[in-house]
Amino acid sequence: GGCGKDRPSAPKAVFGHPKQQLVRVAGGGSGGPNGDSSTTSNPRSSFRPQGTQGCEPLRKPTSMAVLPPRRPSPRSGTPTAMVEEIMEVAEKQPHVRLFTRALQIYQHDLRKCLAKDNMNIKDVMRQTRHTPVAFYTALMHYAIRISWYHVVEELMDDMVRHGVTRPLSFYESTMKQLAGQKQHHVALAVYDRLEADGLRPSAVTCSCLVSFAVEVGELQRALEFFEKLSATTTPSIRAYMTVLRVHAKRQDFAASVALFRDMERRCAGVDSLALNVVLGTGVAADELEAVDELLRQADARQPPIADVISYNTLLKALAQRCDAERARAVIPRMKARGLEPNHITYNTAMDATVRAGRLPEAWPLLDAMRDQGLSPDKFTASIIVKGLSRSPGTGQVKNALALLRDTDSVCDGALKASLYHAVFEAARQAAVSEGGGDMAIAARTFTQMRQCNVTPSQAVQRFMMHALPSASC
């Protein structure tokens, strides 16, 4: 038997995998091609398709290159066996593949089987050692673990269809798992089901619902959840803080103060963090006097709860009002309380004086800052240079140049370029208004710009070219 025209016809292909259509080459025996019992060095060389004895080696069929995935089928077609197989997954080591298989069996096999035979899942569960609630709790867990969030409400619909009671523990467990996956929208949808069933969530769940609503931007609903919580028990400090931030987003200072008073009345652990949120809301609402009074009341408590951030918040409000006098008075008030001002304190106080157009009064604050061991930073430089546009005197420019040299290492290239060009403009104005055309201060600024690796703009260079004969350093 060769490969010529007398080659016998191949038998019809059998069903199954293409590899199963391979048979051992027919010969004199079960060994080599000559019928003896010897074997070849490569065992696979003795395999040929039927009817192709002596031909070229078998090549892999092209149809084996891509095989469509097969959905796993249940081990048995009975609903009871399907339930048992689904519940076995909960007893095994958690794995995404097992969770997916269990949900596929439920969706594509068990659900269809129940509908076809008009069966109720509760009748099937009576033949197992599991309860209907435990069964759907397991399915819900599988769905959330593999991010099949669209299945959550489908499973609850099935529970309603089969008359399976949904206890509070089922709802709360589901919401907790969804929150762990940041699916707050779905968790709130589960709560709607809970409420429709006439159930009342626990205090812990109410507290969590406040956070869920805030996460999805439903601020009014968050307040409603908090009211329900507050009517049943004293809310946790976490719930209070969440609602205080809701009022801050809405800039509702009156509601923030009322909630703060409620915390005090219920001994809910009022601290500087809660106070600062309320103060910040007052600053955003431009309630300066009320903010100052609330801070004084906080200082009068035993022990006082105001901290450095509290005073910095008041300073921010004073800066917005350009109230330089009261801003400078805040620093001694802090020190009297035993609090040490920080960079933000001094920078905000200087900002208040600059906004009020009183730059000369900012330099003593800078000196006090240095005396306390605090080095000026890029914000300090920005605030002072901003004030030069209103007070472009020669002395102010010299002080600003000294400050820029001190802060050279903390300012990036873009900021330095912006600051130096602003100082140069102030120097040019000072030279024109004070020096009768003497450009020495402008030349000094130009020189320091070059020394600090700041490239002067073309406008600055043209100005210096025209002013060069009269410039002296």
Side-chain angles (χ1 to χ4, degrees), residues 132-451:
V133 174
F135 176 67
Y136 280 103
T137 299
L139 288 173
M140 195 70 75
H141 174 69
Y142 304 158
I144 295 173
R145 285 293 300 274
I146 63 174
S147 302
W148 284 19
Y149 306 120
H150 63 284
V151 177
V152 170
E153 294 203 62
E154 292 180 10
L155 291 174
M156 289 188 289
D157 288 338
D158 288 347
M159 295 178 75
V160 173
R161 187 178 302 110
H162 290 285
V164 178
T165 304
R166 284 84 53 204
L168 180 62
S169 59
F170 168 80
Y171 283 119
E172 292 187 330
S173 172
T174 301
M175 287 189 289
K176 181 179 179 181
Q177 293 179 70
L178 288 168
Q181 300 298 321
K182 307 298 182 183
Q183 296 298 313
H184 302 104
H185 275 293
V186 187
L188 288 173
V190 173
Y191 168 77
D192 293 336
R193 300 282 191 127
L194 179 155
E195 190 176 38
D197 284 351
L199 300 175
R200 296 181 61 183
S202 64
V204 174
T205 300
C206 271
S207 182
C208 293
L209 287 169
V210 174
S211 300
F212 297 168
V214 172
E215 288 290 339
V216 300
E218 298 185 22
L219 303 184
Q220 184 57 42
R221 197 175 190 188
L223 297 178
E224 293 171 0
F225 284 136
F226 183 80
E227 289 177 1
K228 292 180 179 180
L229 173 64
S230 183
T232 58
T233 186
T234 300
S236 65
I237 185 64
R238 178 180 179 181
Y240 270 117
M241 291 302 302
T242 301
V243 176
L244 281 176
R245 293 189 179 97
V246 170
H247 293 320
K249 289 182 179 180
R250 299 168 61 145
Q251 295 188 8
D252 192 341
F253 182 60
S256 295
V257 173
L259 189 61
F260 186 78
R261 300 303 183 198
D262 184 67
M263 294 177 69
E264 291 180 319
R265 186 176 66 256
R266 292 193 175 193
C267 301
V270 174
D271 57 7
S272 59
L273 184 60
L275 171 66
N276 293 337
V277 174
V278 178
L279 294 175
T281 305
V283 172
D286 196 24
E287 297 283 351
L288 173 59
E289 301 305 327
V291 167
D292 194 5
E293 179 59 27
L294 183 59
L295 181 57
R296 292 183 185 279
Q297 293 174 7
D299 274 340
R301 291 172 59 98
Q302 292 299 327
I305 61 173
D307 59 8
V308 174
I309 297 176
S310 308
Y311 281 94
N312 289 345
T313 304
L314 174 61
L315 277 169
K316 180 180 178 181
L318 293 169
Q320 291 177 353
R321 292 283 189 91
C322 303
D323 195 335
E325 293 286 348
R326 292 174 65 181
R328 290 198 306 273
V330 169
I331 295 177
R333 183 172 156 189
M334 289 179 64
K335 292 181 177 180
R337 261 284 326 276
L339 299 174
E340 288 292 330
N342 57 17
H343 279 92
I344 297 175
T345 307
Y346 284 107
N347 285 339
T348 310
M350 282 186 276
D351 187 40
T353 59
V354 167
R355 291 189 183 200
R358 300 159 70 171
L359 177 60
E361 298 176 7
W363 300 113
L365 290 171
L366 179 58
D367 293 338
M369 180 180 181
R370 285 170 167 155
D371 292 341
Q372 195 174 316
L374 300 174
S375 300
D377 55 18
K378 61 181 181 181
F379 301 105
T380 313
S382 299
I383 291 168
I384 293 296
V385 171
K386 180 177 65 175
L388 287 177
S389 61
R390 295 185 179 183
S391 302
T394 301
Q396 310 298 337
V397 172
K398 290 180 179 179
N399 290 338
L401 288 174
L403 176 61
L404 288 181
R405 192 176 292 278
D406 290 343
T407 58
D408 184 77
S409 61
V410 296
C411 296
D412 58 35
L415 179 59
K416 283 199 299 183
S418 175
L419 295 177
Y420 269 106
H421 280 87
V423 172
F424 184 87
E425 177 60 22
R428 186 190 66 79
Q429 294 179 20
V432 172
S433 63
E434 296 178 5
D438 186 4
M439 295 293 133
I441 188 62
R444 179 175 176 179
T445 305
F446 183 83
T447 301
Q448 186 168 323
M449 289 175 70
R450 300 294 299 273
Q451 291 174 347

Side-chain angles (χ1 to χ4, degrees), residues 62-68:
T62 56
S63 60
M64 293 179 61
V66 179
L67 294 176

